[in-house]
Amino acid sequence: MKAMRLCLSARLFGVLLLGLPVGQAAAADAAPDSASAAVVAAGPTRQQARLNQRVFDRVWDEVRRGYYDPGLHGVDWRAARAQFRPQALAAPDERALYRVLNAMLDLLDDGHAAASPPAAVRRQEAQFARRAVMGMTLMRGQSPDDWTVERIRPGSPAEEAGIQLGWALNTVDGQPWGPDVETFDGRPVHLVLTDETGQRRETTLTPRIMDAVQPFVADTSRPGVLVLRVEQFDKGLGPWMGSALEGLPPDVDVVLDLRGNPGGRLWEAESVLTCFLPRNQAWATRTGRTGRAVVLRAAGDCGDRRDPLANPVAVLVDQGSRSAAELTPAALQEARRGIVVGERTGGSVLIAQETNLPDGGRLTLSRADFVTAGGTRLEKRGVTPDIAAPRTVAQRRAGDDPTLEAAIAALRGQDRAGAADRPGPL
């Protein structure tokens, strides 16, 4: 059955959080040959082969019947079935099967089209629960086995082991990492990594139970600035943001930090925009498979707020900002309601829906196209910041944040300009 969660999400498991929430980001194309290589000589059991067939046929048929582009971007889908179905049926395990599925889905050249294995789905559903973690965020590169450390959770086993941002993870217990790999409390794992100089790094760490990372955080540590860090557009974001903005003095600037945010629920994106735009203001249009266009308006749930916030706003983005984390800054930028600061975003902005698969896996598939109110299509293009302020790995390791500092400086410049325009006392 189809999940009821309509989301704007990027390619599944491009970002994988080991003990942090499972994220989503654009994945590089995988050649069919790589999927074929995953099918080893040992064949599947009869039961596995039957399950493989059910899963493959469900994925293939969902794309044929439900993909937003009825022409499938020119892909011969029947030929794809003939090519990949025998590989899928011969897959000996979950990892091999899902590599075949994703190799086929890669033909669509769509960052949202992805099949997630059951283990990855379980991790995603427990993403904000207290559970065993290693404490690393990984970004997928140019192949299914290419992963780079994107973030280290403070106080985690990964931090204690001395693992650094920017290192490549080669193997876990002698096998390439994949979204089907699970970790358990108290069970040591042996990692082989490569640092930025190409030196091999080996370590053994033991995952342990830690509290969940909060999906939304309000930071008031800087005078005159409220920083709202949003890990993803998850359920409850709109009311939380409305509460965080309630009673905010007019002289406090707001920074919305969407860096590394993989997207999430469409409704929550509408709710965020309702906090800053006039209610019912059009901000985008989505068009489904039938060609029917639906105008999206700022009519979400921003808690008890009835009027949009008037305070100056800046939005932080980077290459890991995708989907809902792209349409939100684009809408605020286009409405001249916020300054966008950072790096060009990933350009993965289609409206996707999730479908549960027979083995407990999940298919994410684009069901509608998306353009801004001004007619800009962000897919494959991304959002260009008003102020370019990238953040290097070295700066992140040192705890420096030039992107945030650039945003605060720009907002203070706006504040000074606004004060100069206001009449003085008579």
Side-chain angles (χ1 to χ4, degrees):
M1 61 180 293
K2 289 186 176 67
M4 297 302 292
R5 181 172 179 261
L6 180 66
C7 59
L8 286 119
S9 57
R11 180 60 186 259
L12 286 176
F13 307 114
V15 174
L16 183 66
L17 300 130
L18 312 186
L20 298 177
V22 173
Q24 302 170 335
D29 292 339
D33 287 345
S34 65
S36 302
V39 180
V40 296
T45 64
R46 182 175 300 179
Q47 181 180 6
Q48 180 70 51
R50 285 197 297 265
L51 186 57
N52 290 352
Q53 178 179 329
R54 292 176 59 203
V55 172
F56 179 91
D57 289 348
R58 182 63 184 275
V59 169
W60 185 86
D61 194 54
E62 283 290 332
V63 174
R64 180 181 65 87
R65 294 187 299 106
Y67 192 62
Y68 83 97
D69 176 11
L72 303 182
H73 300 169
V75 176
D76 185 337
W77 204 236
R78 292 188 181 277
R81 184 178 187 271
Q83 177 183 354
F84 289 99
R85 193 171 189 265
Q87 299 176 29
L89 268 59
D93 53 31
E94 179 181 299
R95 172 173 288 197
L97 171 63
Y98 277 81
R99 288 198 175 191
V100 172
L101 294 173
N102 283 307
M104 180 176 69
L105 292 169
D106 280 342
L107 298 176
L108 297 172
D109 191 27
D110 179 345
H112 289 74
S116 308
V121 173
R122 289 192 295 270
R123 185 182 294 110
Q124 184 179 22
E125 290 176 343
Q127 58 186 321
F128 296 123
R130 178 178 170 83
R131 62 192 182 91
V133 305
M134 286 196 279
M136 294 186 295
T137 306
L138 299 177
M139 175 69 75
R140 178 175 158 180
Q142 297 300 311
S143 77
D145 297 329
D146 181 12
W147 300 90
T148 302
V149 179
E150 182 71 11
R151 191 184 306 174
I152 300 291
R153 180 174 175 177
S156 68
E159 182 184 58
E160 294 164 1
I163 297 172
Q164 297 291 314
L165 297 174
W167 287 8
L169 177 61
N170 302 325
T171 62
V172 178
D173 289 335
Q175 298 295 324
W177 175 262
D180 57 316
V181 176
E182 297 183 270
T183 57
F184 302 92
D185 181 39
R187 183 182 298 179
V189 292
H190 182 74
L191 309 181
V192 176
L193 306 101
T194 304
D195 67 17
E196 66 276 14
T197 69
Q199 182 178 346
R200 179 186 175 96
R201 302 274 187 163
E202 294 190 45
T203 186
T204 297
L205 57 80
T206 303
R208 66 171 178 268
I209 300 292
M210 295 184 71
D211 289 333
V213 173
Q214 295 303 308
F216 329 125
V217 177
D219 179 2
T220 58
S221 62
R222 296 169 180 81
V225 180
L226 172 63
V227 180
L228 302 176
R229 170 67 186 169
V230 180
E231 295 289 344
Q232 66 184 54
F233 285 73
D234 202 54
K235 184 178 180 180
L237 172 58
W240 174 86
M241 186 162 293
S243 177
L245 297 173
E246 187 66 30
L248 193 69
D251 60 345
V252 175
D253 297 330
V254 176
V255 177
L256 185 58
D257 190 350
L258 303 182
R259 290 174 293 181
N261 185 312
R265 299 170 182 258
L266 175 60
W267 172 252
E268 300 302 339
E270 292 181 336
S271 298
V272 169
L273 290 172
T274 303
C275 294
F276 300 103
L277 299 178
R279 186 164 287 272
N280 291 321
Q281 178 170 317
W283 60 273
T285 300
R286 61 180 174 89
T287 306
R289 184 182 178 95
T290 65
R292 176 173 173 266
V294 176
V295 176
L296 304 179
R297 299 182 180 276
D301 182 5
C302 185
D304 295 330
R305 294 196 66 87
R306 292 295 174 262
D307 298 315
L309 186 78
N311 301 47
V313 178
V315 187
L316 309 185
V317 296
D318 62 11
Q319 296 176 8
S321 305
R322 298 180 183 275
S323 208
E326 297 182 84
L327 65 89
T328 301
L332 294 175
Q333 184 184 58
E334 199 169 75
R336 299 182 182 277
R337 183 60 191 90
I339 305 170
V340 179
V341 183
E343 304 172 79
R344 182 188 291 271
T345 63
S348 185
V349 190
L350 293 171
I351 297 180
Q353 190 175 42
E354 295 174 341
T355 301
N356 293 333
L357 298 174
D359 65 345
R362 188 172 290 161
L363 171 68
T364 302
L365 194 65
S366 299
R367 306 284 181 165
D369 201 356
F370 171 91
V371 297
T372 68
T376 300
R377 189 171 189 265
L378 299 174
E379 182 71 8
K380 307 297 183 187
R381 176 176 179 172
V383 179
T384 301
D386 300 299
I387 300 174
R391 189 185 187 193
T392 66
V393 171
Q395 289 169 330
R396 293 173 60 199
R397 287 179 180 176
D400 298 333
D401 197 343
T403 311
L404 177 58
E405 297 306 322
I408 292 174
L411 290 172
R412 287 176 177 166
Q414 279 190 348
D415 294 340
R416 288 191 294 269
D421 290 338
R422 290 192 290 271
L426 297 176

